[in-house]
Amino acid sequence: MPPTGFTSFVMFAEMRTGSNFLEANLNALEGVTCHGEVFNPHFMGKKDNLSLWGIDIAERDADPFPVLAAMRAATQGMAGFRCFHDHDSRVIGAVLADPACAKIILTRNPVESYVSLKIAQDTGQWKLQNAAKLKTARARFDPAEFEAHLRAAQEFQVHLLHGLQVTGQTAFYIDYEDLNDLDVLNGLAAFLGGPARLTALDPKLKKQNPEEIADKVSNPAEMERSLARLDRFNLARTPNFEPRRTPGIPGFVAAADAPLLYMPLRGGPEAELRDWLGRLGTGGIVTDFVQKTLRQWKRQNAPHRSFTVLRHPLLRAYAGFRAVVMEGGDLYRLLTRSYKLDLPVPGQPLTAEEERMAFLAVLRWLKLYLSGQTGQKIDPRFASQTVVLQGFAQFQGPDAVLREDRLAEGLTWLCDETGVVMPDLSCDLTLAEALFRIHDAELEDAARDAYQRDYIGYGFGRWRD
């Protein structure tokens, strides 16, 4: 075993990033063998090859892990292979989690790799060993196709980075531009742990299409316009520092006599929906689930439907304000003592303006609270609906996401889906009437600042519109 502890390696790359050239140089190292695209969906190792080490492509697709074992057993020294984002996900997961498998991550400017791919598709020339046989073409830049290419590459890189982070590993990153740097390639050899070093670069493969990008496409002006509209640095992204949430399964509520499961967003119309579910039959509701009992309920009530209900962020924050802050619990004490918010004494009669000012102060504090700047655990009644829904998805997301302002319509549809008679829905307007009493544009703006992800993600407008 090499001093590094690596017994094998994987080269994570994409098409047209220089992976053939890097493989050739790795194979020039004594004690290192790269076997090509062993898990390419259409071949094994190299084009038109349908078996390796006595295992054919059908057997590999049924179970890829004997191929990994056979590759390592049949190779003297360190064995490895090239792996792209669309190769077998089971293998990607396994080697990414294996600390004995060295990770090489090869990248290239995605515009260059896309244009190179288009030219190779047009000419049919994927590798060049004799410059006299060079085939040339000018590719047409397709904006939608490029964005899909870019998205796939970025998502794969994020997946790799996360896999390395959660397992405490590192990788050897190398860019296309570094492939002609002998010192960098020998640094990779040192990373793998063997004693061999290169004295020269592999001479067989030649660089294809060395021209500037604009000279390689037939529509450079359209390409420039398309690239100009991309947010390369993700500046339009709404940062999210709010802590992730668990699925919240103990809070789920099911009808005892109907195949309907409610996944509450705390601070929403929970009481009304518990009452409504209880009137779907004579058995009432089922609560206090754990994963085991929830799975049992799902098996016993198939086909079933699950749902949750979005509430306007301003109204939901107001519900939390009245229930959590104005009742004088721990959060009230934190806000008044640690953050010096001038809040009225719980239970004290308030004028509309006094309540408005107190609610506005809390909304402004929520912006800090939800961005992780206070260090406090997020009360579920104030957590953004976006994060709660993401938490649901750790177990199983809801079938339907309904809107409170069209709740009766949504519930009628669910009843039709499951063959249940729709009971009347009782709506409590007390909360909305109380908010109407103090509502103004300043509250709207503060709520949007605090819950920007919910407003943007779910398309909420002003509450009173």
Side-chain angles (χ1 to χ4, degrees), residues 73-326:
T75 305
Q76 289 189 341
M78 181 179 288
F81 61 99
R82 291 187 283 147
C83 188
F84 301 168
H85 80 271
D86 58 349
H87 291 188
D88 196 315
S89 60
R90 296 168 294 180
V91 173
I92 294 173
V95 297
L96 193 53
D98 181 4
C101 179
K103 283 78 176 174
I104 305 166
I105 299 180
L106 174 61
T107 59
R108 186 182 185 184
N109 180 316
V111 180
E112 292 182 348
S113 63
Y114 169 75
V115 171
S116 178
L117 176 62
K118 296 293 289 182
I119 293 173
Q121 289 171 340
D122 288 346
T123 62
Q125 188 172 64
W126 296 87
K127 290 194 294 186
L128 180 64
Q129 294 182 317
N130 184 345
K133 296 182 179 180
L134 173 66
K135 299 177 182 179
T136 60
R138 297 182 78 194
R140 183 184 180 281
F141 186 90
D142 184 316
E145 190 177 55
F146 170 70
E147 289 185 28
H149 170 86
L150 176 64
R151 184 167 54 252
Q154 289 177 334
E155 289 175 353
F156 189 45
Q157 289 298 317
V158 169
H159 176 68
L160 295 179
L161 179 60
H162 182 260
L164 293 169
Q165 288 175 326
V166 299
T167 54
Q169 299 182 71
T170 190
F172 191 96
Y173 280 83
I174 182 168
D175 186 73
Y176 178 82
E177 301 289 338
D178 297 325
L179 292 177
N180 285 316
D181 190 324
L182 185 63
D183 290 337
V184 171
L185 294 186
N186 279 327
L188 172 57
F191 174 77
L192 294 177
R197 297 292 184 270
L198 297 172
T199 57
L201 298 175
D202 182 86
K204 294 187 292 295
L205 292 176
K206 307 296 189 294
K207 180 174 174 59
Q208 297 171 259
N209 312 302
E211 302 88 357
E212 293 185 9
I213 286 287
D215 295 331
K216 299 180 190 180
V217 297
S218 60
N219 55 336
E222 183 180 6
M223 179 181 72
E224 289 181 13
R225 287 194 300 271
S226 172
L227 296 177
R229 79 179 189 84
L230 292 177
D231 185 1
R232 181 177 179 185
F233 297 103
N234 213 7
L235 300 178
R237 173 179 174 268
T238 303
N240 179 28
F241 301 105
E242 186 176 348
R244 296 179 181 179
R245 302 200 69 83
T246 62
I249 290 172
F252 293 1
V253 183
D257 296 332
L260 287 172
L261 177 73
Y262 172 43
M263 303 164 67
L265 288 160
R266 299 295 306 279
E270 296 177 73
E272 294 96 320
L273 284 163
R274 290 170 72 98
D275 172 72
W276 181 82
L277 285 167
R279 289 187 287 107
L280 287 174
T282 60
I285 58 176
V286 182
T287 59
D288 297 323
F289 285 107
V290 294
Q291 288 198 15
K292 179 180 178 180
T293 58
L294 180 56
R295 289 193 177 95
Q296 290 172 343
W297 183 91
K298 285 175 173 282
R299 292 190 188 100
Q300 293 163 5
N301 288 275
H304 53 73
R305 294 290 184 274
S306 58
F307 69 97
T308 193
V309 179
L310 292 176
R311 169 172 272 178
H312 192 282
L314 179 61
L315 184 62
R316 183 166 171 268
Y318 183 61
F321 165 74
R322 290 177 57 131
V324 181
V325 177
M326 299 312 294

Side-chain angles (χ1 to χ4, degrees), residues 35-40 43-47 49 52 82:
H35 292 281
E37 298 175 46
V38 175
F39 298 96
N40 186 295
F43 56 80
M44 295 181 70
K46 60 184 179 181
K47 190 174 181 293
N49 195 49
L52 280 173
R82 291 187 283 147

Side-chain angles (χ1 to χ4, degrees), residues 381-392:
R381 286 163 289 195
F382 286 122
S384 70
Q385 294 172 97
T386 299
V387 168
V388 177
L389 278 164
Q390 290 170 346
F392 290 162

Side-chain angles (χ1 to χ4, degrees), residues 53-73:
W53 307 294
I55 303 171
D56 66 27
I57 197 166
E59 294 171 317
R60 180 203 69 180
D61 291 347
D63 183 0
F65 299 113
V67 180
L68 278 176
M71 177 190 75
R72 291 162 178 165

Side-chain angles (χ1 to χ4, degrees), residues 3 22 60 73 80 128 194 217 234 254 331 394 400 405 409 427 438 449:
L22 182 54
R60 180 203 69 180
L128 180 64
V217 297
N234 213 7
L331 190 55
Q394 294 178 53
D405 56 358
E409 181 182 343
C427 293
I438 66 170
D449 283 345

